[in-house]
Amino acid sequence: MLLSRDFINYSEILSQLVNEENELNQDILAFCFNLFDSETFIKALSILESRNLFLYLFTPVPLLETNANQQETLLSSFYKNQNDSQYLKRIIIKENNEKDIVFVDLDSWYCGCEEHNRKYRDSMDDLSSLVEKKQELNTSQNKTMYFSQPPQEPEDFFAKIPASKQYDSSCKIMCPHLLAAAILLQSSMAVFQHFLTKKETCYIIKVESMDEWLRLQCNIVV
Ligand SMILES: [Zn+2]
């Protein structure tokens, strides 16, 4: 179970996963091993290092002829403004046998894997049992069982749902795919660059055609 955000800033901790030498920080790795469910964290790290995570980015502006500096600028702009409507992203993770493909939607904290769906069903069962006990769901006490209000400063981006400006109860609904995607996109630019452009163990694929993008939404991998 994750600790309260009153005591810990997950984004801040995850942002230190990569040190100044662009290597994984072993002390932070050990800390995260205990901070998260250890098996989930190990699997998430494995996903990030196994060349099985693909970040599709819809960019209506042609980028084929852009140089490295412009590409870097684009990625930096995307990372900082990824919740803006101008940037559309879709995360696909291949399982080890490469036959199974999992789609991850960080903005709604959803993953298509069996583990996430099972945990989501379990959380709904918990909610149903609360209803059956006739507990008042609109009380602030019960709301915080599933969502928590963001802290004031500094801002924690981890597991944040942009539309609601709240955090998912990630202690209940967490899977390795969501954790891997969150480490990549909800920690720091340094971590993002480490896996995508420095180590290149994750891939970013730019989609410039709306037709291709729509096919991707129908689970047709381009
Ligand atoms: Zn998953």
Side-chain angles (χ1 to χ4, degrees):
M1 179 171 289
L2 298 186
L3 300 172
S4 167
R5 291 176 194 270
D6 292 335
F7 303 105
I8 200 160
N9 182 320
Y10 287 90
S11 287
E12 180 67 25
I13 291 169
L14 291 171
S15 72
Q16 300 173 51
L17 263 180
V18 175
N19 60 26
E20 293 181 352
E21 287 75 41
N22 196 33
E23 299 295 335
L24 290 178
N25 185 322
Q26 297 302 317
D27 292 336
I28 298 297
L29 278 177
F31 185 76
C32 288
F33 184 83
N34 293 298
L35 181 62
F36 298 98
D37 172 76
S38 57
E39 184 178 351
T40 302
F41 181 72
I42 290 171
K43 287 181 178 177
L45 203 59
S46 173
I47 288 170
L48 291 170
E49 296 185 311
S50 62
R51 295 183 165 85
N52 282 325
L53 189 150
F54 299 80
L55 171 62
Y56 286 82
L57 176 62
F58 179 65
T59 57
V61 179
L63 296 167
L64 294 177
E65 298 178 2
T66 53
N67 60 38
N69 286 339
Q70 290 169 317
Q71 295 267 8
E72 191 82 9
T73 301
L74 169 84
L75 291 182
S76 176
S77 176
F78 160 71
Y79 187 84
K80 293 173 183 171
N81 305 288
Q82 55 183 293
N83 294 328
D84 287 0
S85 58
Q86 63 174 315
Y87 293 109
L88 299 176
K89 63 179 180 291
R90 192 157 177 82
I91 301 165
I92 293 174
I93 296 173
K94 288 184 179 178
E95 298 288 51
N96 286 333
N97 59 19
E98 297 205 354
K99 292 179 180 175
D100 297 327
I101 292 175
V102 172
F103 290 85
V104 180
D105 183 357
L106 267 186
D107 293 341
S108 57
W109 199 252
Y110 172 80
C111 179
C113 74
E114 190 280 332
E115 179 178 343
H116 180 266
N117 279 277
R118 174 171 46 79
K119 289 181 176 177
Y120 187 81
R121 285 195 303 271
D122 290 347
S123 72
M124 290 299 101
D125 289 342
D126 291 346
L127 191 60
S128 298
S129 66
L130 283 175
V131 174
E132 290 170 3
K133 292 175 183 175
K134 298 182 179 179
Q135 294 190 13
E136 181 53 63
L137 294 178
N138 287 327
T139 63
S140 59
Q141 180 183 7
N142 286 329
K143 277 184 176 179
T144 56
M145 293 184 67
Y146 292 90
F147 295 99
S148 60
Q149 295 294 333
Q152 295 301 312
E153 292 290 344
E155 190 167 11
D156 186 353
F157 300 101
F158 182 80
K160 190 174 184 180
I161 302 174
S164 67
K165 300 187 185 304
Q166 292 180 316
Y167 299 102
D168 190 88
S169 180
S170 45
C171 55
K172 284 182 174 290
I173 311 175
M174 175 74 81
C175 68
H177 314 100
L178 273 167
L179 182 54
I183 290 173
L184 188 68
L185 291 166
Q186 296 178 334
S187 55
S188 70
M189 186 68 191
V191 174
F192 179 69
Q193 288 177 316
H194 173 83
F195 292 110
L196 273 172
T197 60
K198 299 292 194 303
K199 298 292 184 183
E200 296 184 326
T201 52
C202 298
Y203 298 112
I204 187 163
I205 300 175
K206 304 177 195 75
V207 179
E208 297 170 4
S209 157
M210 181 55 80
D211 286 343
E212 286 185 5
W213 183 254
L214 292 176
R215 282 165 50 202
L216 195 62
Q217 307 313 302
C218 298
N219 296 351
I220 301 173
V221 178
V222 295

